[in-house]
Amino acid sequence: MANSLLPPEERNLTPDQVEALDKRRELGHTLLVIAGQFSVIATVLLLWVGQDLSYSPGWAHPMAYYFAVAITIVVTFGITGMALRKGTPRLD
């Protein structure tokens, strides 16, 4: 008998399909962890962004650029990780 705790679409999977599902979810979890780590880094960078934008001359704002890159990584990895954990098929 199928496990009633599983979603209906996952109850009758073959072992190969279960392995692919586990790998996809593991990759999604890894991406979410990376996004969480970069959110901590972005929070620390936020402490310096205001000062960097106020006192750095011209276009020389390295902390602001690092902050923008960190936020981009957080958003990209977070959305991709959530999508892989929820059910979007993994592209190999």
Side-chain angles (χ1 to χ4, degrees), residues 38-50 52-53 61-75:
F38 267 93
S39 67
V40 171
I41 292 169
T43 303
V44 172
L45 286 173
L46 184 60
L47 298 172
W48 284 283
V49 168
D52 184 49
L53 292 174
H61 302 293
M63 287 299 148
Y65 299 141
Y66 297 150
F67 179 72
V69 169
I71 291 296
T72 303
I73 290 172
V74 168
V75 170

Side-chain angles (χ1 to χ4, degrees), residues 6-13 18 21 24-25 86:
L6 293 173
E9 61 272 3
E10 294 179 9
R11 289 183 186 166
N12 298 315
L13 296 178
V18 170
L21 179 68
R24 188 194 74 222
R25 286 185 176 162
K86 291 291 183 189

Side-chain angles (χ1 to χ4, degrees), residues 13-35:
L13 296 178
T14 65
D16 290 336
Q17 291 172 329
V18 170
E19 185 177 341
L21 179 68
D22 288 342
K23 284 182 181 180
R24 188 194 74 222
R25 286 185 176 162
E26 183 179 324
L27 178 63
H29 182 72
T30 301
L31 292 176
L32 287 173
V33 168
I34 292 170

